[in-house]
Each structure stands twice: as C-alpha cells, then as structure tokens.
mmCIF file of all heavy atoms in Angstrom:
data_model
loop_
_atom_site.group_PDB
_atom_site.id
_atom_site.type_symbol
_atom_site.label_atom_id
_atom_site.label_comp_id
_atom_site.label_asym_id
_atom_site.label_seq_id
_atom_site.Cartn_x
_atom_site.Cartn_y
_atom_site.Cartn_z
ATOM 1 N N SER A 1 96.423 135.842 87.548
ATOM 2 C CA SER A 1 97.727 136.418 86.907
ATOM 3 C C SER A 1 98.452 135.388 86.058
ATOM 4 O O SER A 1 98.199 134.199 86.154
ATOM 5 C CB SER A 1 98.640 136.863 87.937
ATOM 6 O OG SER A 1 99.161 135.642 88.737
ATOM 7 N N TRP A 2 99.305 135.921 85.289
ATOM 8 C CA TRP A 2 99.985 134.829 84.318
ATOM 9 C C TRP A 2 100.878 133.911 85.136
ATOM 10 O O TRP A 2 101.022 132.839 84.844
ATOM 11 C CB TRP A 2 101.049 135.636 83.346
ATOM 12 C CG TRP A 2 100.136 136.203 82.162
ATOM 13 C CD1 TRP A 2 99.859 137.586 81.913
ATOM 14 C CD2 TRP A 2 99.541 135.481 81.123
ATOM 15 N NE1 TRP A 2 99.105 137.661 80.729
ATOM 16 C CE2 TRP A 2 98.873 136.399 80.249
ATOM 17 C CE3 TRP A 2 99.481 134.122 80.888
ATOM 18 C CZ2 TRP A 2 98.237 135.997 79.137
ATOM 19 C CZ3 TRP A 2 98.826 133.715 79.732
ATOM 20 C CH2 TRP A 2 98.137 134.684 78.927
ATOM 21 N N LEU A 3 101.560 134.447 86.169
ATOM 22 C CA LEU A 3 102.289 133.498 87.060
ATOM 23 C C LEU A 3 101.263 132.342 87.664
ATOM 24 O O LEU A 3 101.685 131.155 87.660
ATOM 25 C CB LEU A 3 102.954 134.190 88.190
ATOM 26 C CG LEU A 3 103.706 133.457 89.235
ATOM 27 C CD1 LEU A 3 104.926 132.850 88.473
ATOM 28 C CD2 LEU A 3 104.248 134.359 90.295
ATOM 29 N N GLN A 4 100.194 132.702 88.096
ATOM 30 C CA GLN A 4 99.199 131.735 88.560
ATOM 31 C C GLN A 4 98.762 130.751 87.477
ATOM 32 O O GLN A 4 98.415 129.664 87.731
ATOM 33 C CB GLN A 4 98.001 132.536 89.182
ATOM 34 C CG GLN A 4 98.417 133.122 90.513
ATOM 35 C CD GLN A 4 97.271 134.156 90.938
ATOM 36 O OE1 GLN A 4 96.523 134.639 90.245
ATOM 37 N NE2 GLN A 4 97.263 134.499 92.348
ATOM 38 N N VAL A 5 98.564 131.360 86.250
ATOM 39 C CA VAL A 5 98.137 130.556 85.113
ATOM 40 C C VAL A 5 99.250 129.424 84.900
ATOM 41 O O VAL A 5 98.823 128.280 84.625
ATOM 42 C CB VAL A 5 97.990 131.367 83.838
ATOM 43 C CG1 VAL A 5 97.985 130.500 82.633
ATOM 44 C CG2 VAL A 5 96.698 132.284 84.040
ATOM 45 N N ARG A 6 100.487 129.663 84.862
ATOM 46 C CA ARG A 6 101.616 128.841 84.652
ATOM 47 C C ARG A 6 101.599 127.597 85.711
ATOM 48 O O ARG A 6 101.669 126.461 85.480
ATOM 49 C CB ARG A 6 102.863 129.462 84.646
ATOM 50 C CG ARG A 6 103.104 130.296 83.371
ATOM 51 C CD ARG A 6 104.666 130.589 83.182
ATOM 52 N NE ARG A 6 105.117 131.537 84.280
ATOM 53 C CZ ARG A 6 105.062 132.814 84.242
ATOM 54 N NH1 ARG A 6 104.563 133.403 83.073
ATOM 55 N NH2 ARG A 6 105.556 133.511 85.117
ATOM 56 N N SER A 7 101.207 128.153 86.989
ATOM 57 C CA SER A 7 101.188 127.012 88.114
ATOM 58 C C SER A 7 100.061 126.082 87.896
ATOM 59 O O SER A 7 100.054 125.101 88.084
ATOM 60 C CB SER A 7 101.044 127.900 89.463
ATOM 61 O OG SER A 7 100.924 127.065 90.520
ATOM 62 N N LEU A 8 98.964 126.815 87.399
ATOM 63 C CA LEU A 8 97.690 126.031 87.308
ATOM 64 C C LEU A 8 97.827 125.028 86.083
ATOM 65 O O LEU A 8 97.267 123.891 86.189
ATOM 66 C CB LEU A 8 96.526 126.910 87.066
ATOM 67 C CG LEU A 8 95.990 127.715 88.157
ATOM 68 C CD1 LEU A 8 94.957 128.793 87.786
ATOM 69 C CD2 LEU A 8 95.498 126.802 89.317
ATOM 70 N N ARG A 9 98.533 125.482 85.049
ATOM 71 C CA ARG A 9 98.854 124.514 83.917
ATOM 72 C C ARG A 9 99.586 123.287 84.427
ATOM 73 O O ARG A 9 99.243 122.194 84.010
ATOM 74 C CB ARG A 9 99.548 125.280 82.900
ATOM 75 C CG ARG A 9 98.829 126.261 81.951
ATOM 76 C CD ARG A 9 99.771 126.959 81.097
ATOM 77 N NE ARG A 9 99.093 127.956 80.248
ATOM 78 C CZ ARG A 9 99.740 128.928 79.628
ATOM 79 N NH1 ARG A 9 101.035 129.051 79.686
ATOM 80 N NH2 ARG A 9 99.053 129.806 78.848
ATOM 81 N N ARG A 10 100.622 123.555 85.259
ATOM 82 C CA ARG A 10 101.392 122.428 85.795
ATOM 83 C C ARG A 10 100.558 121.538 86.636
ATOM 84 O O ARG A 10 100.651 120.369 86.531
ATOM 85 C CB ARG A 10 102.602 123.020 86.496
ATOM 86 C CG ARG A 10 103.555 121.965 86.992
ATOM 87 C CD ARG A 10 104.739 122.647 87.477
ATOM 88 N NE ARG A 10 104.569 123.614 88.578
ATOM 89 C CZ ARG A 10 104.751 124.906 88.436
ATOM 90 N NH1 ARG A 10 105.053 125.425 87.288
ATOM 91 N NH2 ARG A 10 104.499 125.805 89.454
ATOM 92 N N LEU A 11 99.829 122.117 87.428
ATOM 93 C CA LEU A 11 98.968 121.309 88.349
ATOM 94 C C LEU A 11 97.918 120.537 87.616
ATOM 95 O O LEU A 11 97.702 119.343 87.771
ATOM 96 C CB LEU A 11 98.165 122.224 89.297
ATOM 97 C CG LEU A 11 97.189 121.486 90.216
ATOM 98 C CD1 LEU A 11 97.772 120.485 91.147
ATOM 99 C CD2 LEU A 11 96.408 122.500 91.178
ATOM 100 N N GLN A 12 97.366 121.058 86.596
ATOM 101 C CA GLN A 12 96.460 120.370 85.699
ATOM 102 C C GLN A 12 97.114 119.196 84.997
ATOM 103 O O GLN A 12 96.604 118.109 84.960
ATOM 104 C CB GLN A 12 95.797 121.305 84.602
ATOM 105 C CG GLN A 12 94.702 120.747 83.842
ATOM 106 C CD GLN A 12 94.234 121.592 82.709
ATOM 107 O OE1 GLN A 12 94.940 122.419 82.088
ATOM 108 N NE2 GLN A 12 92.882 121.521 82.418
ATOM 109 N N ARG A 13 98.320 119.537 84.390
ATOM 110 C CA ARG A 13 98.946 118.387 83.642
ATOM 111 C C ARG A 13 99.340 117.204 84.583
ATOM 112 O O ARG A 13 99.186 116.047 84.306
ATOM 113 C CB ARG A 13 100.242 118.923 82.983
ATOM 114 C CG ARG A 13 101.050 117.909 82.246
ATOM 115 C CD ARG A 13 100.203 117.017 81.256
ATOM 116 N NE ARG A 13 100.741 115.747 80.923
ATOM 117 C CZ ARG A 13 101.504 115.573 79.907
ATOM 118 N NH1 ARG A 13 101.820 116.518 79.028
ATOM 119 N NH2 ARG A 13 101.948 114.313 79.672
ATOM 120 N N ASN A 14 99.946 117.562 85.786
ATOM 121 C CA ASN A 14 100.394 116.550 86.795
ATOM 122 C C ASN A 14 99.114 115.680 87.188
ATOM 123 O O ASN A 14 99.270 114.428 87.288
ATOM 124 C CB ASN A 14 101.005 117.191 87.894
ATOM 125 C CG ASN A 14 102.325 117.846 87.612
ATOM 126 O OD1 ASN A 14 103.000 117.410 86.532
ATOM 127 N ND2 ASN A 14 103.009 118.641 88.449
ATOM 128 N N SER A 15 98.010 116.441 87.453
ATOM 129 C CA SER A 15 96.871 115.632 87.849
ATOM 130 C C SER A 15 96.266 114.809 86.670
ATOM 131 O O SER A 15 95.761 113.696 87.069
ATOM 132 C CB SER A 15 95.750 116.580 88.309
ATOM 133 O OG SER A 15 96.283 117.459 89.454
ATOM 134 N N PHE A 16 96.309 115.248 85.575
ATOM 135 C CA PHE A 16 95.849 114.428 84.463
ATOM 136 C C PHE A 16 96.674 113.115 84.293
ATOM 137 O O PHE A 16 96.093 112.153 83.843
ATOM 138 C CB PHE A 16 96.015 115.255 83.145
ATOM 139 C CG PHE A 16 95.618 114.505 81.809
ATOM 140 C CD1 PHE A 16 94.414 114.482 81.487
ATOM 141 C CD2 PHE A 16 96.520 113.938 81.076
ATOM 142 C CE1 PHE A 16 93.926 113.663 80.392
ATOM 143 C CE2 PHE A 16 96.233 113.235 79.916
ATOM 144 C CZ PHE A 16 94.859 113.046 79.599
ATOM 145 N N ASP A 17 97.944 113.153 84.541
ATOM 146 C CA ASP A 17 98.790 111.996 84.425
ATOM 147 C C ASP A 17 98.256 110.847 85.272
ATOM 148 O O ASP A 17 98.607 109.677 84.971
ATOM 149 C CB ASP A 17 100.216 112.287 84.873
ATOM 150 C CG ASP A 17 100.893 113.046 83.775
ATOM 151 O OD1 ASP A 17 100.362 113.167 82.634
ATOM 152 O OD2 ASP A 17 102.091 113.548 84.074
ATOM 153 N N TYR A 18 97.502 111.013 86.329
ATOM 154 C CA TYR A 18 96.759 109.974 87.089
ATOM 155 C C TYR A 18 96.102 109.073 86.180
ATOM 156 O O TYR A 18 96.192 107.777 86.267
ATOM 157 C CB TYR A 18 95.953 110.516 88.108
ATOM 158 C CG TYR A 18 95.138 109.455 89.064
ATOM 159 C CD1 TYR A 18 95.800 109.125 90.310
ATOM 160 C CD2 TYR A 18 94.050 108.871 88.667
ATOM 161 C CE1 TYR A 18 95.204 108.140 91.136
ATOM 162 C CE2 TYR A 18 93.365 107.926 89.447
ATOM 163 C CZ TYR A 18 93.964 107.626 90.764
ATOM 164 O OH TYR A 18 93.443 106.591 91.475
ATOM 165 N N PHE A 19 95.238 109.601 85.257
ATOM 166 C CA PHE A 19 94.430 108.817 84.300
ATOM 167 C C PHE A 19 95.259 108.115 83.271
ATOM 168 O O PHE A 19 94.772 107.162 82.719
ATOM 169 C CB PHE A 19 93.371 109.742 83.716
ATOM 170 C CG PHE A 19 92.515 110.311 84.904
ATOM 171 C CD1 PHE A 19 92.607 111.757 85.234
ATOM 172 C CD2 PHE A 19 91.617 109.575 85.561
ATOM 173 C CE1 PHE A 19 91.879 112.255 86.179
ATOM 174 C CE2 PHE A 19 90.843 110.087 86.542
ATOM 175 C CZ PHE A 19 90.887 111.411 86.852
ATOM 176 N N LEU A 20 96.486 108.595 82.967
ATOM 177 C CA LEU A 20 97.270 107.962 82.033
ATOM 178 C C LEU A 20 97.950 106.714 82.730
ATOM 179 O O LEU A 20 98.193 105.635 82.111
ATOM 180 C CB LEU A 20 98.433 108.845 81.560
ATOM 181 C CG LEU A 20 98.076 110.066 80.717
ATOM 182 C CD1 LEU A 20 99.229 110.758 80.190
ATOM 183 C CD2 LEU A 20 97.156 109.601 79.652
ATOM 184 N N ASN A 21 98.391 106.788 83.972
ATOM 185 C CA ASN A 21 99.098 105.825 84.644
ATOM 186 C C ASN A 21 98.329 104.885 85.501
ATOM 187 O O ASN A 21 98.948 103.791 85.881
ATOM 188 C CB ASN A 21 100.200 106.464 85.432
ATOM 189 C CG ASN A 21 101.204 107.334 84.525
ATOM 190 O OD1 ASN A 21 101.371 107.011 83.471
ATOM 191 N ND2 ASN A 21 101.618 108.442 85.268
ATOM 192 N N GLU A 22 97.186 105.226 85.964
ATOM 193 C CA GLU A 22 96.451 104.431 86.984
ATOM 194 C C GLU A 22 95.202 103.787 86.366
ATOM 195 O O GLU A 22 94.136 103.455 86.988
ATOM 196 C CB GLU A 22 96.104 105.229 88.182
ATOM 197 C CG GLU A 22 97.313 105.856 88.869
ATOM 198 C CD GLU A 22 98.308 104.900 89.342
ATOM 199 O OE1 GLU A 22 98.040 103.736 89.511
ATOM 200 O OE2 GLU A 22 99.434 105.352 89.740
ATOM 201 N N THR A 23 95.323 103.499 85.040
ATOM 202 C CA THR A 23 94.213 102.846 84.314
ATOM 203 C C THR A 23 94.699 101.489 83.668
ATOM 204 O O THR A 23 95.847 101.373 83.222
ATOM 205 C CB THR A 23 93.790 103.811 83.165
ATOM 206 O OG1 THR A 23 93.312 104.992 83.661
ATOM 207 C CG2 THR A 23 92.740 103.236 82.248
ATOM 208 N N ASN A 24 93.766 100.603 83.640
ATOM 209 C CA ASN A 24 94.083 99.261 83.010
ATOM 210 C C ASN A 24 93.805 99.446 81.502
ATOM 211 O O ASN A 24 92.630 99.624 81.131
ATOM 212 C CB ASN A 24 93.190 98.155 83.546
ATOM 213 C CG ASN A 24 93.433 96.817 83.021
ATOM 214 O OD1 ASN A 24 94.046 96.665 81.901
ATOM 215 N ND2 ASN A 24 93.045 95.729 83.648
ATOM 216 N N ARG A 25 94.797 99.593 80.762
ATOM 217 C CA ARG A 25 94.587 99.815 79.245
ATOM 218 C C ARG A 25 93.748 98.828 78.571
ATOM 219 O O ARG A 25 93.305 99.045 77.535
ATOM 220 C CB ARG A 25 95.866 99.989 78.537
ATOM 221 C CG ARG A 25 96.664 101.243 78.973
ATOM 222 C CD ARG A 25 95.994 102.549 78.604
ATOM 223 N NE ARG A 25 95.837 102.683 77.198
ATOM 224 C CZ ARG A 25 96.685 103.200 76.396
ATOM 225 N NH1 ARG A 25 97.922 103.481 76.900
ATOM 226 N NH2 ARG A 25 96.478 103.355 75.057
ATOM 227 N N ALA A 26 93.686 97.557 79.158
ATOM 228 C CA ALA A 26 92.937 96.494 78.512
ATOM 229 C C ALA A 26 91.357 96.681 78.560
ATOM 230 O O ALA A 26 90.659 96.136 77.831
ATOM 231 C CB ALA A 26 93.347 95.153 79.162
ATOM 232 N N ASN A 27 90.891 97.278 79.689
ATOM 233 C CA ASN A 27 89.426 97.441 79.897
ATOM 234 C C ASN A 27 89.073 98.899 80.295
ATOM 235 O O ASN A 27 87.802 99.025 80.469
ATOM 236 C CB ASN A 27 88.963 96.357 80.835
ATOM 237 C CG ASN A 27 89.637 96.464 82.305
ATOM 238 O OD1 ASN A 27 90.316 97.572 82.583
ATOM 239 N ND2 ASN A 27 89.607 95.509 83.084
ATOM 240 N N GLY A 28 89.963 99.689 80.454
ATOM 241 C CA GLY A 28 89.508 101.123 80.854
ATOM 242 C C GLY A 28 89.277 101.265 82.372
ATOM 243 O O GLY A 28 88.948 102.433 82.751
ATOM 244 N N MET A 29 89.452 100.332 83.150
ATOM 245 C CA MET A 29 89.197 100.470 84.586
ATOM 246 C C MET A 29 90.182 101.530 85.307
ATOM 247 O O MET A 29 91.398 101.304 84.864
ATOM 248 C CB MET A 29 89.395 99.169 85.416
ATOM 249 C CG MET A 29 88.291 98.142 85.047
ATOM 250 S SD MET A 29 86.642 98.609 85.391
ATOM 251 C CE MET A 29 85.997 99.105 83.812
ATOM 252 N N VAL A 30 89.769 102.397 86.051
ATOM 253 C CA VAL A 30 90.540 103.415 86.647
ATOM 254 C C VAL A 30 90.650 103.254 88.187
ATOM 255 O O VAL A 30 89.579 103.146 88.760
ATOM 256 C CB VAL A 30 90.098 104.753 86.274
ATOM 257 C CG1 VAL A 30 90.947 105.936 86.930
ATOM 258 C CG2 VAL A 30 90.001 105.118 84.747
ATOM 259 N N LEU A 31 91.897 103.248 88.638
ATOM 260 C CA LEU A 31 92.052 102.896 90.051
ATOM 261 C C LEU A 31 91.389 103.937 90.930
ATOM 262 O O LEU A 31 91.561 105.194 90.766
ATOM 263 C CB LEU A 31 93.458 103.046 90.359
ATOM 264 C CG LEU A 31 94.032 102.333 91.685
ATOM 265 C CD1 LEU A 31 93.758 100.913 91.881
ATOM 266 C CD2 LEU A 31 95.633 102.628 91.859
ATOM 267 N N ASP A 32 90.679 103.573 91.913
ATOM 268 C CA ASP A 32 89.975 104.559 92.815
ATOM 269 C C ASP A 32 91.008 105.304 93.701
ATOM 270 O O ASP A 32 90.864 106.456 93.866
ATOM 271 C CB ASP A 32 89.020 103.777 93.772
ATOM 272 C CG ASP A 32 88.268 104.591 94.770
ATOM 273 O OD1 ASP A 32 87.686 105.645 94.354
ATOM 274 O OD2 ASP A 32 88.642 104.385 95.921
ATOM 275 N N LYS A 33 91.991 104.546 94.155
ATOM 276 C CA LYS A 33 92.954 104.958 95.115
ATOM 277 C C LYS A 33 94.259 104.270 95.027
ATOM 278 O O LYS A 33 94.334 103.122 94.844
ATOM 279 C CB LYS A 33 92.309 104.766 96.571
ATOM 280 C CG LYS A 33 93.186 104.932 97.688
ATOM 281 C CD LYS A 33 92.387 104.704 99.031
ATOM 282 C CE LYS A 33 93.299 104.538 100.226
ATOM 283 N NZ LYS A 33 92.490 104.348 101.445
ATOM 284 N N THR A 34 95.395 104.945 95.089
ATOM 285 C CA THR A 34 96.696 104.520 94.850
ATOM 286 C C THR A 34 97.155 103.621 96.150
ATOM 287 O O THR A 34 98.140 104.000 96.786
ATOM 288 C CB THR A 34 97.675 105.529 94.500
ATOM 289 O OG1 THR A 34 97.691 106.587 95.584
ATOM 290 C CG2 THR A 34 97.433 106.135 93.156
ATOM 291 N N ALA A 35 96.404 102.648 96.420
ATOM 292 C CA ALA A 35 96.730 101.737 97.591
ATOM 293 C C ALA A 35 96.878 100.306 97.068
ATOM 294 O O ALA A 35 96.287 100.049 96.055
ATOM 295 C CB ALA A 35 95.682 101.759 98.677
ATOM 296 N N PRO A 36 97.689 99.555 97.572
ATOM 297 C CA PRO A 36 97.729 98.130 97.114
ATOM 298 C C PRO A 36 96.593 97.334 96.977
ATOM 299 O O PRO A 36 95.706 97.388 97.941
ATOM 300 C CB PRO A 36 98.810 97.570 98.119
ATOM 301 C CG PRO A 36 99.579 98.650 98.805
ATOM 302 C CD PRO A 36 98.539 99.664 98.849
ATOM 303 N N ASP A 37 96.400 96.690 95.932
ATOM 304 C CA ASP A 37 95.177 95.781 95.650
ATOM 305 C C ASP A 37 93.859 96.583 95.727
ATOM 306 O O ASP A 37 92.926 95.981 96.352
ATOM 307 C CB ASP A 37 95.177 94.590 96.637
ATOM 308 C CG ASP A 37 96.544 93.772 96.482
ATOM 309 O OD1 ASP A 37 96.907 93.461 95.446
ATOM 310 O OD2 ASP A 37 97.143 93.369 97.610
ATOM 311 N N TRP A 38 93.938 97.827 95.399
ATOM 312 C CA TRP A 38 92.688 98.660 95.484
ATOM 313 C C TRP A 38 91.948 98.415 94.248
ATOM 314 O O TRP A 38 92.475 98.219 93.095
ATOM 315 C CB TRP A 38 93.076 100.036 95.629
ATOM 316 C CG TRP A 38 92.050 100.821 96.505
ATOM 317 C CD1 TRP A 38 91.119 101.711 95.992
ATOM 318 C CD2 TRP A 38 91.727 100.801 97.875
ATOM 319 N NE1 TRP A 38 90.232 102.106 97.011
ATOM 320 C CE2 TRP A 38 90.731 101.617 98.098
ATOM 321 C CE3 TRP A 38 92.340 99.994 98.904
ATOM 322 C CZ2 TRP A 38 90.189 101.833 99.445
ATOM 323 C CZ3 TRP A 38 91.988 100.256 100.157
ATOM 324 C CH2 TRP A 38 90.834 101.118 100.423
ATOM 325 N N PRO A 39 90.574 98.519 94.162
ATOM 326 C CA PRO A 39 89.819 98.362 92.970
ATOM 327 C C PRO A 39 89.725 99.666 92.218
ATOM 328 O O PRO A 39 90.050 100.696 92.770
ATOM 329 C CB PRO A 39 88.404 97.785 93.459
ATOM 330 C CG PRO A 39 88.393 98.571 94.822
ATOM 331 C CD PRO A 39 89.689 98.541 95.356
ATOM 332 N N ALA A 40 89.004 99.557 91.108
ATOM 333 C CA ALA A 40 88.536 100.774 90.343
ATOM 334 C C ALA A 40 87.285 101.269 90.944
ATOM 335 O O ALA A 40 86.535 100.591 91.609
ATOM 336 C CB ALA A 40 88.366 100.413 88.824
ATOM 337 N N SER A 41 87.069 102.530 90.674
ATOM 338 C CA SER A 41 85.624 103.132 90.960
ATOM 339 C C SER A 41 85.056 103.563 89.649
ATOM 340 O O SER A 41 85.822 104.269 88.848
ATOM 341 C CB SER A 41 85.699 104.181 92.036
ATOM 342 O OG SER A 41 86.309 105.353 91.548
ATOM 343 N N ILE A 42 83.733 103.550 89.546
ATOM 344 C CA ILE A 42 83.019 104.008 88.320
ATOM 345 C C ILE A 42 83.071 105.514 88.349
ATOM 346 O O ILE A 42 83.031 106.115 87.150
ATOM 347 C CB ILE A 42 81.715 103.441 88.229
ATOM 348 C CG1 ILE A 42 80.733 103.708 89.368
ATOM 349 C CG2 ILE A 42 81.759 101.861 87.991
ATOM 350 C CD1 ILE A 42 79.359 103.419 89.181
ATOM 351 N N ALA A 43 83.129 106.229 89.474
ATOM 352 C CA ALA A 43 83.306 107.631 89.453
ATOM 353 C C ALA A 43 84.676 108.039 88.873
ATOM 354 O O ALA A 43 84.654 108.916 88.100
ATOM 355 C CB ALA A 43 83.120 108.124 90.920
ATOM 356 N N ALA A 44 85.660 107.345 89.264
ATOM 357 C CA ALA A 44 86.966 107.712 88.627
ATOM 358 C C ALA A 44 87.009 107.407 87.227
ATOM 359 O O ALA A 44 87.605 108.207 86.366
ATOM 360 C CB ALA A 44 87.996 106.841 89.329
#
C-alpha cells in the first residue's frame, strides 16, 4: 500500500545514513558495528 511505501522510504533513508556517518572518508572503511573502538568489516 501507499502508506507502507512511505514507511519503507523512511526506513530505507534512515538505514542508508549509516553509510554516510559511520565511514572513514579518508579511506572508505565502514564501521562493522557502532561500538567503541570497533573495526571496519569488508562486508560492510
């Protein structure tokens, strides 16, 4: 439904923001998990 579509758009956008904010812009490493001193994972 259109109501569900709007909800999915919001969920998609919010989830996408992980890759904007949890990435080292200098080398492209992406945090595996939002825990202190955690490394990147190549799957992420």
Side-chain angles (χ1 to χ4, degrees):
S1 72
W2 281 111
L3 182 62
Q4 291 166 339
V5 166
R6 287 195 294 270
S7 175
L8 291 170
R9 286 174 180 165
R10 184 168 57 252
L11 175 60
Q12 183 184 38
R13 175 56 202 263
N14 291 344
S15 298
F16 177 80
D17 283 351
Y18 182 94
F19 301 106
L20 295 186
N21 301 327
E22 305 299 341
T23 298
N24 183 342
R25 292 295 298 274
N27 58 18
M29 296 295 100
V30 179
L31 195 64
D32 172 67
K33 168 183 170 180
T34 54
D37 301 317
W38 210 258
S41 70
I42 59 170

